[in-house]
Amino acid sequence: MENWVLVEKIVVVLGCLYLSWKIIRYIWSFSNIEKQPIKVLVTGAAGQIGYALVPMIARGAMLGPDQPVILHMLDIEPAAEALKGVKMELIDAAFPLLEGVVATTDVVEACKGVNIAVMVGGFPRKEGMERKDVMSKNVSIYKAQASALEQHAAPDCKVLVVANPANTNALILKAFAPSIPEKNITCLIRLDHNRALGQISERLNVHVGDVKNVIIWGNHSSTQYPDVNHATVNTSSGQKSARELVADDQWLNTEFITTVQQRGAAIIKARKQSSALSAASSACDHIRDWVLGTPKGTWVSMGVYSDGSYGIQPGLIYSFPVTCEKGEWSIVQGLRIDEFSKAKMDATAKELMEEKALAYSFLN
């Protein structure tokens, strides 16, 4: 009798083990379902930023190490051969996540079904050109590209405008792509945000990963306001205020601000070409946080459609501190703004209103 009881117990245990194994296999099968590839458009892909950006996307720096991608690369006709060369290099690099490459000078073909659009291409300011001349050229470019995205991109397409004037180019794109939700059109301020993090980390001789919650307010131009009033630094004794650790208000209110504002010009002077590697890396950071979410307790700077927060005129594309969750960004609310900061924030908003008026004069 005792032997039969023992046998029954063994059978029950084996049955439970078998059932557990089946459940584990079932769960494992779902966790290993291959993700569908995401189509990512990069305009101006044969240029410096594009050339730095596309391998980062293909390697997973933008959407994660397990997300397959199909790259759509667009450039102008004179760059067609260079674009072909970029495609050849992507193939030669044998990126495991890269499931396809479209290299074209046709804006309609480039925009078909894309889930994410990184708008790097634009008309650069040349010597002797006034701001209105650059604005006129870019209004024309972004009007055409917006129309193609409107008609051919995926309905939930997320757009990041990199080409300058980035804030106003994003505003023009929004005007000619009305079916794309306003929350899906952003511009790149992350480069300035990262520059501010870098300046604080160098000043304090700490790892840049220990610095967080700087803010870039306003325009991606020399009027932007890099703000450290809410920034913190991880130290061996806990989280500390960046301003208190720097302990030099004169530097923070003058040299720090101008260094971040003019960093792009300094890089041009040093390497005789504009920022490319850092711009590409920042574009990946922007999209990654937008799609995958910001870490808890951390915000980043994004150029987004103003809803009137902090007294900024609604309808401008303005850089705010935001948090991201489940593919959506939200402006951080309730931050204390002192008089110095408010003046700087209003000044850059004024410039954006002037740019908007200028851009819309070309539309009319």
Side-chain angles (χ1 to χ4, degrees), residues 53-61 67 69 71 90 95-98:
L53 177 59
V54 291
M56 293 182 187
I57 299 171
R59 194 173 286 281
Q67 177 58 63
V69 293
L71 272 169
L90 285 169
F95 294 109
L97 293 173
L98 187 58

Side-chain angles (χ1 to χ4, degrees), residues 140-160:
S140 176
I141 292 168
Y142 274 80
K143 181 178 177 181
Q145 293 184 349
S147 298
L149 285 170
E150 166 84 4
Q151 296 176 49
H152 303 287
D156 62 345
C157 181
K158 286 178 164 58
V159 182
L160 168 60

